[in-house]
Amino acid sequence: MSERLRLWLERTRDGYRLRDAATESYVPHEDPRIRVTKLAGVSYRLDAVQDEAFAPGRRLALVPEPDNEHDPNAIGVWDADRRVQAGYVPAEVATGLDAEEWQAVSLLEFFEGGRRAGLRLLLAPKDAWIGVPRG
Protein backbone atom coordinates (compact mmCIF):
# COMPACT_ATOMS: atom_id res chain seq x y z
CA MET A 1 0.00 0.00 0.00
CA SER A 2 1.42 3.38 -1.01
CA GLU A 3 1.62 6.35 1.31
CA ARG A 4 -0.80 9.23 0.74
CA LEU A 5 0.67 12.07 -1.33
CA ARG A 6 1.06 15.24 0.77
CA LEU A 7 2.10 18.50 -0.87
CA TRP A 8 2.78 22.01 0.43
CA LEU A 9 2.33 24.99 -1.83
CA GLU A 10 5.27 27.36 -1.37
CA ARG A 11 4.89 30.95 -2.63
CA THR A 12 6.98 32.20 -5.55
CA ARG A 13 6.81 35.46 -7.48
CA ASP A 14 4.20 34.10 -9.95
CA GLY A 15 2.33 31.63 -7.76
CA TYR A 16 3.46 28.47 -6.00
CA ARG A 17 5.93 25.64 -6.27
CA LEU A 18 5.48 22.24 -4.71
CA ARG A 19 7.18 20.63 -1.74
CA ASP A 20 6.69 17.11 -0.46
CA ALA A 21 5.28 17.55 3.07
CA ALA A 22 7.02 14.37 4.31
CA THR A 23 10.54 15.03 2.96
CA GLU A 24 10.40 18.82 2.43
CA SER A 25 12.05 18.30 -0.97
CA TYR A 26 10.83 20.11 -4.07
CA VAL A 27 8.42 18.17 -6.25
CA PRO A 28 9.17 18.70 -9.95
CA HIS A 29 6.29 19.30 -12.35
CA GLU A 30 7.25 16.06 -14.11
CA ASP A 31 6.58 13.93 -10.98
CA PRO A 32 4.48 10.94 -12.15
CA ARG A 33 2.07 11.23 -9.18
CA ILE A 34 0.73 14.60 -10.36
CA ARG A 35 0.05 16.58 -13.51
CA VAL A 36 1.05 20.22 -13.90
CA THR A 37 -0.44 21.64 -17.06
CA LYS A 38 -1.49 24.88 -18.72
CA LEU A 39 -5.11 25.93 -18.71
CA ALA A 40 -6.38 25.50 -22.27
CA GLY A 41 -8.86 27.85 -23.91
CA VAL A 42 -8.11 30.77 -21.60
CA SER A 43 -7.92 33.19 -24.55
CA TYR A 44 -11.66 32.66 -25.07
CA ARG A 45 -12.39 33.43 -21.39
CA LEU A 46 -10.01 36.26 -20.51
CA ASP A 47 -12.65 38.13 -18.52
CA ALA A 48 -13.55 35.01 -16.52
CA VAL A 49 -9.94 34.17 -15.65
CA GLN A 50 -9.53 37.63 -14.04
CA ASP A 51 -11.82 36.46 -11.22
CA GLU A 52 -9.90 36.06 -7.94
CA ALA A 53 -11.32 32.54 -7.72
CA PHE A 54 -8.56 31.57 -10.19
CA ALA A 55 -5.67 33.21 -8.32
CA PRO A 56 -2.77 30.89 -7.48
CA GLY A 57 -3.48 28.69 -4.48
CA ARG A 58 -7.23 28.49 -5.13
CA ARG A 59 -8.98 25.16 -5.41
CA LEU A 60 -10.80 24.59 -8.69
CA ALA A 61 -13.56 22.26 -9.89
CA LEU A 62 -13.00 19.74 -12.68
CA VAL A 63 -16.25 19.24 -14.61
CA PRO A 64 -16.42 16.44 -17.24
CA GLU A 65 -18.26 17.34 -20.45
CA PRO A 66 -19.13 14.00 -22.11
CA ASP A 67 -21.64 15.76 -24.39
CA ASN A 68 -19.06 18.29 -25.65
CA GLU A 69 -19.47 18.31 -29.45
CA HIS A 70 -15.75 18.92 -30.05
CA ASP A 71 -14.29 16.46 -27.53
CA PRO A 72 -16.24 13.91 -25.43
CA ASN A 73 -13.18 13.69 -23.12
CA ALA A 74 -13.32 17.45 -22.37
CA ILE A 75 -12.91 18.49 -18.73
CA GLY A 76 -13.91 22.06 -17.91
CA VAL A 77 -12.04 24.01 -15.24
CA TRP A 78 -14.34 26.10 -13.06
CA ASP A 79 -13.97 28.05 -9.84
CA ALA A 80 -14.65 25.95 -6.72
CA ASP A 81 -18.27 27.16 -6.57
CA ARG A 82 -18.87 26.30 -10.25
CA ARG A 83 -20.08 29.76 -11.16
CA VAL A 84 -17.32 30.79 -13.64
CA GLN A 85 -15.44 28.65 -16.16
CA ALA A 86 -11.87 29.66 -17.02
CA GLY A 87 -11.04 27.00 -19.61
CA TYR A 88 -10.24 23.33 -20.02
CA VAL A 89 -7.74 20.68 -19.07
CA PRO A 90 -5.72 20.29 -22.32
CA ALA A 91 -7.06 17.49 -24.52
CA GLU A 92 -3.82 15.48 -24.35
CA VAL A 93 -4.04 15.46 -20.52
CA ALA A 94 -7.83 15.01 -20.29
CA THR A 95 -7.83 11.86 -22.43
CA GLY A 96 -7.88 8.94 -20.01
CA LEU A 97 -8.17 11.22 -16.94
CA ASP A 98 -11.16 10.50 -14.69
CA ALA A 99 -12.11 13.95 -13.35
CA GLU A 100 -13.88 12.30 -10.40
CA GLU A 101 -10.54 10.86 -9.21
CA TRP A 102 -8.54 14.11 -9.39
CA GLN A 103 -8.52 17.54 -7.76
CA ALA A 104 -7.21 20.83 -9.16
CA VAL A 105 -5.49 23.90 -7.74
CA SER A 106 -4.36 27.04 -9.57
CA LEU A 107 -0.57 26.98 -9.32
CA LEU A 108 1.02 29.74 -11.42
CA GLU A 109 -0.29 32.78 -13.29
CA PHE A 110 0.99 34.65 -16.32
CA PHE A 111 0.24 38.28 -17.15
CA GLU A 112 0.03 40.20 -20.39
CA GLY A 113 -0.89 43.86 -20.55
CA GLY A 114 -1.51 43.93 -16.80
CA ARG A 115 -4.17 41.17 -16.99
CA ARG A 116 -4.02 37.50 -16.12
CA ALA A 117 -3.48 35.78 -19.48
CA GLY A 118 -2.76 32.20 -18.46
CA LEU A 119 -2.62 29.69 -15.64
CA ARG A 120 -0.79 26.50 -14.78
CA LEU A 121 -2.85 23.96 -12.90
CA LEU A 122 -1.86 21.33 -10.40
CA LEU A 123 -3.84 18.13 -10.89
CA ALA A 124 -3.40 15.66 -8.02
CA PRO A 125 -5.20 12.48 -6.99
CA LYS A 126 -8.41 13.16 -5.05
CA ASP A 127 -6.95 11.57 -1.90
CA ALA A 128 -3.79 13.72 -1.97
CA TRP A 129 -3.43 16.31 0.79
CA ILE A 130 -2.55 19.73 -0.54
CA GLY A 131 -1.52 22.42 1.95
CA VAL A 132 -3.14 25.46 0.37
CA PRO A 133 -2.19 28.82 1.89
CA ARG A 134 -4.90 30.79 3.65
CA GLY A 135 -6.02 34.18 2.46
Side-chain angles (χ1 to χ4, degrees):
M1 182 172 168
S2 63
E3 188 174 314
R4 178 181 183 197
L5 178 61
R6 297 177 340 149
L7 300 170
W8 282 111
L9 299 186
E10 182 177 86
R11 185 168 289 285
T12 67
R13 183 176 56 107
D14 300 319
Y16 295 92
R17 62 181 165 195
L18 304 168
R19 279 196 185 267
D20 185 300
T23 66
E24 297 186 13
S25 62
Y26 290 113
V27 176
H29 290 183
E30 300 78 23
D31 188 296
R33 301 171 295 172
I34 61 171
R35 310 281 184 283
V36 174
T37 187
K38 67 178 182 169
L39 176 65
V42 73
S43 63
Y44 298 103
R45 293 178 172 82
L46 282 175
D47 287 339
V49 81
Q50 303 313 307
D51 195 297
E52 279 305 300
F54 298 105
R58 300 292 178 97
R59 293 191 182 275
L60 305 172
L62 298 174
V63 180
E65 295 183 10
D67 297 328
N68 184 304
E69 65 181 82
H70 302 289
D71 182 1
N73 296 311
I75 300 173
V77 177
W78 292 69
D79 68 303
D81 295 328
R82 293 186 184 196
R83 53 179 187 84
V84 182
Q85 182 181 9
Y88 289 90
V89 173
E92 63 274 11
V93 177
T95 300
L97 188 78
D98 181 353
E100 301 296 321
E101 298 297 321
W102 291 79
Q103 60 180 308
V105 174
S106 177
L107 195 60
L108 296 167
E109 60 190 347
F110 303 94
F111 288 90
E112 189 172 294
R115 293 184 58 172
R116 192 177 292 133
L119 293 174
R120 289 260 188 260
L121 309 174
L122 165 63
L123 303 176
K126 190 70 109 184
D127 68 346
W129 178 85
I130 301 173
V132 179
R134 295 184 180 145

